[in-house]
Amino acid sequence: MSHITNLHARRVWDSRGVPTVEVDIQLDTGRMGRAIAPSGASRGRREALELRDGGDDIGGKDVQKAIANVNGPIARALIGKNSQNQTEIDQALLALDPSPLKDTIGGNAITATSMAVLHAGASDADLPLFAYVAELAGTTPSLPLPEIQIFGGGAHAGRRVDIQDFMIMVPGAASFEEALRITREVYFAAGDIMARRGQQSGIADEGGWWPAFTSNEEALETLVQAIELAGEAPGKNVVISLDIAASEFGKSGQYKLALDNKTLSSEEMIALLTNWIDAYPIASIEDPLAEDDIDGMVAFTKQFGDRLQIIGDDYLVTNASLVERAITDGAANAVLIKVNQIGTITEAIDTFFTAKKAAWGTIVSARSGETEDVTISHLSTGLGAGQLKVGSFQRSERMVKWNECLRIQESLGSDKFVAGAPLANSWWAKSS
Ligand code: PGA
Ligand code: ZN
């Protein structure tokens, strides 16, 4: 059991070329832990704030204040603490910044520190990170079902389509590795179809194709064609998963779909999604309604909760109290877990357990601004969270997470894979 002797934060750059915070934690044994805060673009209103400097330099996005907060007050509070005492350390971080949005010390400073402590603790315990997470949380590790983006839209692709993520899941895969391989075939089949039609205009923020579709529904049609072109069976071993990210185009019960040239009420938005759910093999939908439209979330969950995974992201922001309330309201049946939405590892694990107790699905997720940090591959596997959402099957900040899971698979065994279990309550499980 060793103690923290030093913290050092530095500015590094994320996948969008935006500054972010990296933290190194030194232990008295000479071991260390290192982690980098990710960054969102389609952020929830109630998530922890990424502290940025403002002003003219680097578009106001520099993180010198957050770095100074790690090297100053955070270092003073943490030096001398036992690196394996994650809960106590996270509490000390929260005591430094009790504001609900963590805007004094900065969510980015807190997240990078909390994750770096996790790495340092694992190193001190001589355990791979996923095994250390499992020990810390008292969970059984298993490799997650990947949720992988084929087309990127919304805030990640110049709003070329309104819907943010058109993804697939391969619940019929025999192993994590096979799920990746099948996803790759679908990804490149989609690219071929779009290239043939002259619709390919680049790569979106999370590595999915940046499409040039004429309607949101055309993306769904093309996705089904891509699954078929890859020689797979839509609705059998491969299903569709959408992140509508409705808060990006919906406010006060008005949903403005620019590509379809429509403004819809909450009821009409649900009717549109109903048409898509009836016509395409969609097994999971994230943020179908806006974060301010709780009545819409409740109505949608009442209608589809027994056959779809309904995920709250911007709506729940990895916040245990918001998840608790949504469980009571019946306003979703799964939650995205993004450590930097809430701040610390301890809070993220707390939210995970809050969801699990209600038999909700849990999906550990990357942000649209990412780095070489692989903490979430271990968090997802160690908690046995069931699912991992990282973006697409291209760009190294995405691939490092999938590749890290392949390394974990070697030590854990390929049989420790959840396969279709996370979709056990969906139409997919009932029909297969
Ligand atoms: P963000 O998007 O990281 O830009 O918030 C990811 C998501 O909405 O799941
Ligand atoms: Zn989302």
Side-chain angles (χ1 to χ4, degrees), residues 9-14 17-23 36-39 43 49-55 57-71 104-110 112:
R10 67 175 67 82
R11 179 180 72 195
V12 294
W13 303 88
D14 75 13
V18 173
T20 187
V21 182
E22 176 171 83
V23 174
I36 311 176
S39 167
R43 286 194 286 267
L49 180 95
E50 293 171 7
L51 185 63
R52 301 209 178 264
D53 298 349
D57 216 23
I58 322 182
K61 293 191 167 172
D62 207 353
V63 289
Q64 300 304 332
K65 288 180 188 164
I67 287 170
N69 287 342
V70 177
N71 293 336
T104 317
I105 293 285
N108 40 3
I110 290 174

Side-chain angles (χ1 to χ4, degrees), residues 42 156 164-165 167 206 242-246 286-287 311-315 336 338 341 365-367 389:
S42 64
H156 303 160
Q164 184 179 285
D165 293 315
M167 297 169 285
E206 296 193 16
L242 300 176
D243 182 359
I244 306 295
E286 181 177 327
D287 288 344
I311 309 172
D313 171 22
D314 296 345
Y315 168 48
L336 223 62
K338 292 169 166 169
Q341 274 184 331
S365 172
R367 301 307 304 250
K389 180 188 178 200

Side-chain angles (χ1 to χ4, degrees), residues 75-344:
R76 283 195 293 277
L78 265 47
I79 286 172
K81 288 207 186 298
N82 170 3
S83 64
Q84 291 194 47
N85 208 338
Q86 185 78 37
T87 314
E88 185 197 321
I89 290 176
D90 285 343
Q91 271 157 7
L93 289 171
L94 298 179
L96 282 176
D97 190 350
S99 65
L101 299 183
K102 286 149 177 123
D103 47 6
T104 317
I105 293 285
N108 40 3
I110 290 174
T111 294
T113 304
S114 182
M115 296 200 311
V117 168
L118 189 73
H119 283 265
S123 172
D124 188 40
D126 249 332
L127 286 172
L129 190 61
F130 73 90
Y132 180 70
V133 167
E135 206 175 88
L136 187 73
T139 45
T140 307
S142 60
L143 286 151
L145 182 64
E147 200 183 356
I148 302 185
Q149 188 190 66
I150 307 297
F151 306 124
H156 303 160
R159 302 186 195 277
R160 189 59 190 78
V161 291
D162 302 285
I163 309 307
Q164 184 179 285
D165 293 315
F166 294 87
M167 297 169 285
I168 61 161
M169 299 166 99
V170 191
S175 66
F176 177 85
E177 192 160 11
E178 188 182 71
L180 287 191
R181 197 192 50 73
I182 291 173
T183 304
R184 181 202 178 274
E185 302 307 322
V186 174
Y187 177 79
F188 285 104
D192 285 350
I193 293 172
M194 293 164 72
R196 236 183 289 140
R197 294 182 191 156
Q199 284 177 323
Q200 213 188 88
S201 40
I203 301 292
D205 281 7
E206 296 193 16
W209 302 112
W210 179 311
F213 295 127
T214 52
S215 69
N216 287 294
E217 188 164 359
E218 198 186 351
L220 285 166
E221 286 164 8
T222 309
L223 192 46
V224 169
Q225 289 160 6
I227 296 168
E228 285 167 347
L229 182 63
E232 303 298 331
K236 296 268 187 324
N237 61 336
V238 181
V239 296
I240 292 176
S241 169
L242 300 176
D243 182 359
I244 306 295
S247 304
E248 287 293 308
F249 57 85
K251 264 176 199 64
S252 314
Q254 293 246 303
Y255 293 86
K256 294 197 171 92
L257 290 165
L259 186 59
D260 300 342
N261 199 17
K262 280 183 196 158
T263 298
L264 304 179
S265 67
S266 184
E267 292 75 23
E268 288 167 334
M269 186 67 205
I270 294 177
L272 175 73
L273 294 174
T274 304
N275 290 340
W276 291 352
I277 292 160
D278 289 345
Y280 302 96
I282 298 165
S284 177
I285 299 199
E286 181 177 327
D287 288 344
L289 285 310
E291 60 189 315
D292 66 358
D293 189 359
I294 296 178
D295 291 347
M297 287 298 294
V298 170
F300 187 80
T301 306
K302 201 173 267 173
Q303 197 174 335
F304 292 110
D306 62 348
R307 56 188 162 118
L308 287 186
Q309 172 169 266
I310 302 167
I311 309 172
D313 171 22
D314 296 345
Y315 168 48
L316 300 175
V317 293
T318 318
N319 182 312
S321 324
L322 295 177
V323 170
E324 201 94 65
R325 203 160 76 204
I327 290 167
T328 310
D329 292 347
N333 61 22
V335 61
L336 223 62
I337 305 282
K338 292 169 166 169
V339 179
N340 81 325
Q341 274 184 331
I342 188 69
T344 62

